[in-house]
């Protein structure tokens, strides 16, 4: 049991205890202070240091869910997102109990949407970015999208393909993500920093002409790339 929990920030679910055939010992271990029950359906090995990652594991295990939205963005270490209030995603209609974490429901969840980071079940990078558009400021979503594209080639195509499958009228964030994708698809260029992304937002808000990102300037064999440029 301890070995299984060690890979999950000292958290183990009731289902895993059942699989290990130690359910009959759980009550005694809890009374002896060897196990702590922080939420229904999950236990923590007593004495393990508390952490945000452990709290995410508890939320995921207790809800039968996946870390999602801003929590998933923090787990993926995307620019602009850090450990904070915990959010998880569950299939639509699953019985929900009162919790200290935020529970999102979805009717559209496929294997391609699921991943694991550091022992924690989490939504995939593409699904995380799509879901972020429903809950975060456009500038922060753009910043995270550009960061993901810089880090992992092919991310833009993955997000575009899954977005096309999830897009439907009334779904929050779909219009924003469509705009962000339209701005980036076909250009092959992404904002090189969070500062650059925010600057583009300020330029648009001021009504200035749309800048070209990473514009090449050549002088013989030397090539420089301007973060933002108006070539004309």
């Amino acid at each position: 049991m301890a070995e299984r929990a060690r890979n999950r920030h000292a958290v183990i679910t009731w289902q895993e205890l059942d699989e290990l055939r130690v359910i009959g010992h759980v009550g005694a271990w809890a009374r002896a202070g060897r196990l702590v029950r922080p939420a229904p359906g999950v236990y923590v090995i007593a004495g393990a240091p508390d952490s945000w990652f452990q709290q995410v594991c508890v939320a995921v295990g207790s809800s039968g869910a996946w870390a999602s939205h801003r929590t998933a963005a923090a787990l993926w270490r995307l620019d602009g997102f850090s450990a904070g209030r915990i959010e998880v995603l569950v299939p639509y209609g699953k019985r929900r109990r009162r919790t200290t974490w935020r529970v999102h429901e979805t009717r559209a969840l496929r294997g391609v949407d699921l991943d694991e980071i550091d022992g924690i079940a989490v939504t995939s990078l593409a699904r995380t970015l799509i879901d972020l558009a429903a809950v975060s400021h456009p500038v922060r979503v753009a910043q995270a999208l550009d960061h993901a594209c810089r880090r992992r080639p092919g991310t833009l195509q993955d997000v575009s393909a899954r977005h096309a499958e999830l897009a439907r009228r009334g779904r929050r964030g779909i219009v924003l993500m469509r705009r962000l994708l339209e701005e980036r698809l076909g250009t092959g260029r992404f904002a090189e920093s969070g500062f650059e992304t925010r600057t583009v937002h300020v330029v648009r808000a001021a009504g200035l002409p749309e800048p070209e990102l990473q514009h090449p300037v050549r002088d013989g064999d030397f090539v420089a790339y301007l973060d933002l440029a108006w070539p004309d």
Side-chain angles (χ1 to χ4, degrees):
M1 179 187 67
E3 183 63 31
R4 178 79 66 91
R6 184 176 294 117
N7 298 322
R8 301 282 178 83
H9 303 277
V11 176
I12 191 162
T13 66
W14 181 268
Q15 181 179 350
E16 289 173 317
L17 291 168
D18 189 30
E19 292 172 358
L20 293 171
R21 301 181 180 179
V22 295
I23 289 293
H25 300 283
V26 170
W29 287 339
R31 288 191 295 273
R34 298 176 65 186
L35 286 178
V36 179
R37 184 174 178 266
V42 290
Y43 289 85
V44 174
I45 305 296
D50 185 27
S51 70
W52 179 78
F53 295 97
Q54 184 183 96
Q55 294 167 20
V56 174
C57 267
V58 168
V60 167
S62 181
S63 303
W66 290 265
S68 66
H69 296 75
R70 285 160 288 208
T71 298
L75 289 171
W76 283 109
R77 295 176 172 83
L78 295 176
D79 279 352
F81 294 91
S82 57
R85 184 180 178 186
I86 297 170
E87 298 177 88
V88 299
L89 186 68
V90 300
Y92 181 82
K94 185 170 183 177
R95 187 170 66 86
R96 295 167 59 177
R97 49 175 84 94
R98 294 178 66 87
T99 63
T100 58
W101 52 86
R102 183 174 180 181
V103 180
H104 300 271
E105 291 184 340
T106 180
R107 295 179 183 270
L109 195 62
R110 294 173 43 207
V112 71
D113 294 324
L114 311 177
D115 212 320
E116 183 176 302
I117 297 177
D118 197 19
I120 302 173
V122 63
T123 52
S124 67
L125 182 56
R127 180 60 186 262
T128 297
L129 290 163
I130 292 170
D131 289 341
L132 273 181
V135 297
S136 299
H137 191 280
V139 174
R140 297 186 67 195
V141 178
Q143 181 179 345
L145 177 60
D146 288 334
H147 182 209
C149 289
R150 294 195 305 272
R151 259 184 14 191
R152 182 179 293 191
T155 294
L156 191 64
Q157 288 70 29
D158 292 342
V159 173
S160 179
R162 193 66 182 112
H163 175 270
E165 295 172 343
L166 291 169
R168 60 174 173 79
R169 181 173 296 181
R171 183 183 177 91
R172 293 183 61 189
I174 287 297
V175 173
L176 169 59
M177 184 53 68
R178 180 181 296 118
R179 176 171 64 79
L180 295 178
L181 290 171
E182 287 174 350
E183 290 172 355
R184 288 157 177 77
L185 281 170
T187 65
R189 302 190 186 98
F190 309 100
E192 289 297 322
S193 67
F195 174 78
E196 187 175 319
T197 301
R198 292 191 293 272
T199 304
V200 171
H201 177 74
V202 172
V203 167
R204 289 175 182 147
L208 296 172
E210 187 75 10
E212 182 174 321
L213 304 182
Q214 297 303 304
H215 176 69
V217 177
R218 302 179 185 277
D219 182 6
D221 293 334
F222 175 78
V223 181
Y225 291 87
L226 304 182
D227 293 339
L228 286 80
W230 290 263
D232 293 342

